[in-house]
Amino acid sequence: MAHDRVHARLPHDPENWWLGTVTDLSERDGHAVFTVRPDGDERGTNPDSTEPVELVVTVAVRDLVCRRLAADEPVGERVWFREHGGR
C-alpha cells in the first residue's frame, strides 16, 4: 500500500506540500487516517479544492505527528500534507 504524507513541522521543500487543518483522526485496516481540510500554503495560494482529504499513513507516522503537535488532540491543528502521487 502506498501511503500519504503528513508533517507537523514545515517540510524542507514546502512548495511541494499543502497546509491544512485536521478535522478527524481515525483508524482503518491497521492504518491511521487523518482527515484534513486544505487551507492553502503559507503564500496564500489555495489548493485546487478545499474539500476534506483523507490521508492514510502508518500508525508510527500518526504517533510521530501527534507527538510533534503542540496540542494533546490533533483535531483542529494545522499540518503539512501530500497525497500519494502528489497533489
Side-chain angles (χ1 to χ4, degrees):
M1 167 181 243
H3 294 98
D4 299 307
R5 306 285 302 276
V6 178
H7 281 293
R9 298 179 183 161
L10 178 69
H12 296 290
D13 57 343
E15 64 276 357
N16 296 320
W17 295 75
W18 292 107
L19 191 56
T21 302
V22 178
T23 60
D24 189 44
L25 179 59
S26 60
E27 287 192 28
R28 182 184 318 140
D29 300 325
H31 291 83
V33 180
F34 282 87
T35 303
V36 176
R37 180 174 301 280
D39 295 339
D41 62 23
E42 286 193 324
R43 296 176 305 277
T45 305
N46 288 324
D48 297 335
S49 172
T50 57
E51 290 298 313
V53 177
E54 283 193 346
L55 305 165
V56 179
V57 300
T58 65
V59 172
V61 168
R62 177 205 60 201
D63 293 347
L64 177 64
V65 170
C66 289
R67 275 196 313 268
R68 289 184 172 175
L69 290 171
D72 293 333
E73 173 65 33
V75 174
E77 293 293 307
R78 295 180 85 193
V79 295
W80 293 88
F81 71 95
R82 188 168 66 193
E83 292 177 280
H84 175 69
R87 187 170 166 89

